[in-house]
Amino acid sequence: MFAFIVRRIIQATVVMLVIGFIGFSVKHQLGDPVRDLVGISVSVEEREALREQLGLNDSFFEQYGRFVSNAVRGDLGYSYFFKKPALDVILSKAPATIELVFVSSMLILLLSVPMGLYSAIYPKRFFSRLAMGVSIVGVSIPVFLTAIVLIYVFAVQLHWLPSYGRGDTVNILGWESGLFTIDGLRHLVLPSIALSSIMLPLFIRLIRAEMMEVLETEYIKYAWAKGLTRKRVWLVHAFKNTLLPVITVGGVQLGILIAFTILTETVFQWQGMGFMFLEAVERSDTALLVAYLVVVGALFVVVNTVVDIVYGLVNPTVTIASR
Amino acid sequence: MQLLEVKNLEVSFALRQGDLVALNDISFSLGKKERLGVVGESGAGKSVTGFAVINLISKPGKITNGEILFEGKRLDTLSEKEMRTIRGNRISMIFQDPMMTLNPVLTIGTQMVETLQAHRKISQKEAEAVAVKKLERVHIPSPARRLSQYPHEFSGGMRQRIIIAIALLTDPSIIIADEPTTALDVTIQAEIMDLLQELCNSEDMGLMLITHDLGVVAEVTERVLVMYAGKIIETAKTSDLVSNPLHPYTRGLMNALPGHGTCDTANRLQQIPGTMPNLTEIAPGCSFHPRCEHCQDICSSEVPQLRKISGNDSRFVSCHFAEEGWQNG
Ligand SMILES: Nc1ncnc2c1ncn2[C@@H]1O[C@H](COP(=O)(O)OP(=O)(O)OP(=O)(O)O)[C@@H](O)[C@H]1O
Ligand SMILES: [Mg+2]
């Protein structure tokens, strides 16, 4: 376990350094911190003095080193638009995104597992064929189309659900949460359906394919020969083996879900990191862009670590210590 | 009444190209405590026969004719639920490859306890106690500690012992062992066979031993079925068959046996010229005639029946010349 943690921390550090490097390069090429600070009504000499003072005339790597050491101390630069440290801005937006991704992931899991298993066990039934057909179509529909259709039907025409914003939130230990108010949950419905619609077909097909393969194995035939009930064979013997590849692929896919929040949040005016990211692009708020990259990178690392741990728990041939 | 009786069993696989008859008019019986061998080349239908008994033929296979009686009751017409009370309880199976048979993500203990709990009202604790006893029975050292281990922590031979222990859990009346040693090292093969034989002698069970290996059959079984292309072509007491094989195919198998040692007929069978036909392209007449060195005109036109050999009630051969003696013809 200890070796696993150490290795994970080293991996995470390398990943974060690479992300930081990319982020910094972007900032170095695009951003002009002096303009960010003082605007355009300052003389050339004064600007030059300021550049020298800020160390902007130092070499690229000196500046990168400074960027890293600042970042380690939680300083990811200053958002000139919000007039606040970039990290503070991001962190205030993060709960909205994390909750959206969390609810979408839960939706994906709760729907794809039963649907995938069912259509593997009864491949010829009407529902299975329907699920397969719909999922082929589903994979190819872009998110914002799904989102717009959802908004049109459920918000504009039927007036059942709100179509933008997070609604009422409650502050729990500094975390703005929409999960604990009816209004907040109502606001979550459409965005999380839209976001999960990207991955849901893929997960159903993945689980179905793996399950069908597992059902053909000798150990499943043996489980039948032992006289076990269907429930036991399907849900314990087969499902547990189906889980392994699903966790590996699924973990990566859930990470990718974070990237899709940019689109979803924009369509639904969801005040999260993705929405803020696009705004920051429009305003050329480079410090904020870099901070976004770093925070999302960190989220990826966390998700992957959790996935690895879960995988180790399910698969006895991989003891966490030996990875 | 026989413990197990199979009458005119026919099994077909509904394939896209049409039905494939994998078992054609198979009849045999197994008495209490009897040890029956089933031999034949790969694809002869040995495994399908074993699985048919517990009605667990892989799709798209189905029993299309005949009856299977266990203690006088029809098995082939039982519902799935009723059949479950027989499988793994009254009739246990041992599969060919112990590396593939146990579920890799469940502990040995789980896989043993669940089997008992599927068939008995028994607590986890009691079930574990039974499991430990059976593991001892198959000579697994420190069995109590093994329950929490996973299959990958055991060698092939150990796994096959565990699988035998699982088969013993419910004290079944019949064990069907489908090539239980084919996937193992030669030295371990002998150990497992000895163990099976020892268990059959001491426990009250019948054994149906499916194998390639006539040597093993000679050593372990009392009676034997020889299968070829989905049919039984010869059945006899093992001692009679070994001392005087009557069907040319059985003779070929015997000739391939060096002395009294064991041998793998899968390799040795190449000494009989040609290969077993695909089940879809069986020649008319006797299915063995294209490979038979004594083939006559009648062999390619008329299907020989499995007939009793006069003077021996337990001996049946399906060859036109079994009694006349093709040796002289
Ligand atoms: N799932 C299946 N689908 C189609 N045909 C099958 C299937 N299983 C078995 N068969 C047919 O049944 C025949 C007998 O198969 P079986 O597995 O009983 O052979 P076997 O005698 O056990 O051979 P081996 O020694 O290789 O185990 C095969 O030749 C094959 O044509
Ligand atoms: Mg077989």
Side-chain angles (χ1 to χ4, degrees):
Chain A
M1 191 66 199
F2 180 71
F4 170 77
I5 292 173
V6 169
R7 193 163 315 158
R8 260 292 147 184
I9 291 176
I10 294 171
Q11 281 172 4
T13 312
V14 172
V15 171
M16 292 312 296
L17 279 176
V18 171
I19 293 172
F21 184 79
I22 295 169
F24 178 74
S25 306
V26 169
K27 183 175 176 173
H28 190 78
Q29 295 303 318
L30 298 181
D32 182 357
V34 174
R35 187 211 62 179
D36 292 357
L37 279 175
V38 297
I40 39 173
S41 60
V42 175
S43 75
V44 179
E45 292 76 36
E46 278 176 291
R47 278 170 187 250
E48 201 40 54
L50 200 53
R51 290 191 77 83
E52 192 59 43
Q53 190 192 334
L54 289 172
L56 293 176
N57 295 331
D58 295 347
S59 78
F60 178 84
F61 285 100
E62 268 177 280
Q63 292 189 49
Y64 175 59
R66 210 173 317 132
F67 168 79
V68 171
S69 82
N70 285 340
V72 168
R73 276 179 268 122
D75 177 6
L76 288 174
Y78 196 81
S79 162
Y80 84 95
F81 179 82
F82 287 96
K83 306 276 179 258
K84 272 199 266 178
L87 189 63
D88 291 0
V89 177
I90 297 269
L91 289 184
S92 71
K93 304 279 187 187
T97 299
I98 292 173
E99 284 185 358
L100 178 59
V101 171
F102 173 77
V103 172
S104 302
S105 312
M106 286 299 128
L107 261 183
I108 291 172
L109 283 184
L110 291 179
L111 291 175
S112 67
V113 168
M115 285 168 81
L117 294 188
Y118 183 90
S119 49
I121 291 168
Y122 304 110
K124 299 218 169 103
R125 294 221 181 147
F126 172 74
F127 175 81
S128 309
R129 292 172 193 268
L130 184 75
M132 285 306 102
V134 170
S135 72
I136 287 184
V137 180
V139 176
S140 42
I141 299 179
V143 203
F144 53 82
L145 189 59
T146 320
I148 286 167
V149 171
L150 284 173
I151 291 174
Y152 181 76
V153 175
F154 294 101
V156 178
Q157 292 297 321
L158 297 170
H159 299 289
W160 286 356
L161 291 161
S163 66
Y164 61 88
R166 289 187 76 193
D168 296 342
T169 57
V170 285
N171 192 311
I172 300 166
L173 304 172
W175 180 286
E176 276 305 319
S177 176
L179 294 177
F180 300 96
T181 63
I182 300 290
D183 191 48
L185 289 173
R186 277 168 49 84
H187 279 80
L188 259 169
V189 176
L190 293 183
S192 54
I193 290 177
L195 185 56
S196 54
S197 72
I198 312 156
M199 298 288 174
L200 187 59
L202 194 140
F203 269 73
I204 294 174
R205 301 186 76 84
L206 176 67
I207 291 172
R208 177 183 119 108
E210 293 297 337
M211 181 76 173
M212 286 182 100
E213 205 165 292
V214 169
L215 286 177
E216 292 299 313
T217 58
E218 283 291 294
Y219 56 81
I220 293 301
K221 190 156 199 196
Y222 182 60
W224 293 122
K226 291 202 299 183
L228 304 181
T229 59
R230 295 172 178 202
K231 214 170 102 190
R232 179 97 198 158
V233 176
W234 287 333
L235 298 187
V236 177
H237 282 254
F239 181 53
K240 220 172 165 197
N241 283 281
T242 302
L243 267 181
L244 293 176
V246 172
I247 291 171
T248 323
V249 180
V252 177
Q253 298 300 329
L254 286 186
I256 294 176
L257 214 51
I258 300 173
F260 277 100
T261 57
I262 296 180
L263 276 173
T264 317
E265 289 184 3
T266 305
V267 177
F268 289 97
Q269 307 272 298
W270 191 260
Q271 294 297 322
M273 293 192 290
F275 188 51
M276 181 217 70
F277 177 81
L278 275 193
E279 286 183 330
V281 170
E282 279 165 23
R283 298 180 190 123
S284 310
D285 197 340
T286 42
L288 211 45
L289 295 184
V290 174
Y292 176 84
L293 273 183
V294 172
V295 168
V296 168
L299 258 172
F300 254 91
V301 171
V302 170
V303 167
N304 277 330
T305 308
V306 170
V307 165
D308 274 8
I309 291 172
V310 172
Y311 187 86
L313 290 179
V314 178
N315 187 356
T317 58
V318 188
T319 50
I320 283 179
S322 67
R323 302 185 88 195
Chain B
M1 180 182 65
Q2 296 281 10
L3 185 57
L4 178 72
E5 223 174 333
V6 173
K7 290 184 190 165
N8 310 102
L9 178 66
E10 182 183 285
V11 170
S12 315
F13 288 86
L15 302 180
R16 226 166 273 157
Q17 318 85 277
D19 280 6
L20 175 120
V21 182
L23 295 186
N24 190 343
D25 199 17
I26 298 278
S27 300
F28 65 90
S29 63
L30 179 71
K32 283 204 170 74
K33 291 185 166 196
E34 192 183 20
R35 297 191 300 275
L36 174 72
V38 181
V39 282
E41 256 166 299
S42 192
K46 307 182 298 293
S47 299
V48 172
T49 307
F51 282 110
V53 171
I54 56 169
N55 212 337
L56 200 66
I57 304 163
S58 11
K59 280 186 185 154
K62 256 207 341 255
I63 295 177
T64 40
N65 213 340
E67 299 179 5
I68 295 166
L69 298 141
F70 174 66
E71 295 174 335
K73 289 194 309 265
R74 287 280 291 263
L75 284 191
D76 52 312
T77 51
L78 287 187
S79 71
E80 188 61 26
K81 205 174 156 199
E82 291 166 317
M83 198 60 221
R84 257 204 315 271
T85 65
I86 306 284
R87 287 182 195 140
N89 184 22
R90 308 300 317 283
I91 305 178
S92 292
M93 279 206 77
I94 298 170
F95 285 23
Q96 174 169 346
D97 189 351
M99 306 309 264
M100 317 287 280
T101 307
L102 293 168
N103 194 319
V105 302
L106 300 175
T107 62
I108 301 305
T110 306
Q111 298 189 54
M112 296 189 84
V113 168
E114 70 178 359
T115 310
L116 270 166
Q117 287 185 332
H119 302 295
R120 310 254 185 287
K121 264 195 136 45
I122 187 171
S123 73
Q124 173 85 16
K125 261 232 165 78
E126 290 167 317
E128 280 176 9
V130 176
V132 167
K133 237 184 6 226
K134 299 298 179 185
L135 286 176
E136 260 164 22
R137 193 79 191 71
V138 299
H139 315 300
I140 297 275
S142 48
R145 204 164 46 80
R146 303 294 187 167
L147 291 184
S148 58
Q149 292 186 328
Y150 288 92
H152 74 271
E153 298 173 62
F154 296 87
S155 68
M158 290 277 260
R159 287 193 216 184
Q160 200 61 305
R161 282 168 193 280
I162 291 167
I163 291 162
I164 293 173
I166 293 176
L168 296 177
L169 280 172
T170 52
D171 303 309
S173 311
I174 300 177
I175 288 192
I176 300 173
D178 187 359
E179 309 196 27
T181 59
T182 310
L184 300 172
D185 289 347
V186 182
T187 46
I188 303 188
Q189 283 186 11
E191 278 175 36
I192 296 286
M193 270 307 155
D194 288 347
L195 175 65
L196 265 181
Q197 202 172 359
E198 175 204 322
L199 291 170
C200 282
N201 285 332
S202 58
E203 319 276 321
D204 216 8
M205 5 175 248
L207 175 70
M208 186 169 152
L209 179 66
I210 296 169
T211 177
H212 280 132
D213 192 334
L214 252 185
V216 166
V217 166
E219 225 170 279
V220 177
T221 65
E222 298 156 327
R223 223 150 45 78
V224 60
L225 311 175
V226 182
M227 293 188 67
Y228 189 83
K231 283 188 178 173
I232 295 177
I233 53 150
E234 180 161 5
T235 164
K237 281 195 178 127
T238 308
S239 53
D240 290 347
L241 185 111
V242 170
S243 61
N244 181 25
L246 288 181
H247 196 286
Y249 178 69
T250 319
R251 254 175 96 90
L253 290 184
M254 285 306 301
N255 287 343
L257 263 187
H260 264 301
T262 63
C263 102
D264 188 352
T265 53
N267 308 321
R268 296 291 178 159
L269 269 179
Q270 271 129 30
Q271 297 191 1
I272 303 175
T275 54
M276 202 180 69
N278 234 327
L279 290 180
T280 44
E281 37 202 59
I282 294 176
C286 170
S287 54
F288 186 62
H289 87 258
R291 295 170 75 186
C292 185
E293 45 183 339
H294 310 286
C295 179
Q296 308 281 317
D297 287 350
I298 184 177
C299 299
S300 56
S301 58
E302 258 179 63
V303 181
Q305 297 303 309
L306 191 64
R307 280 173 310 183
K308 189 154 87 190
I309 300 299
S310 51
N312 189 338
D313 277 352
S314 61
R315 182 127 219 211
F316 294 80
V317 181
S318 96
C319 173
H320 292 300
F321 301 102
E323 275 184 288
E324 295 85 351
W326 31 258
Q327 299 96 319
N328 319 320

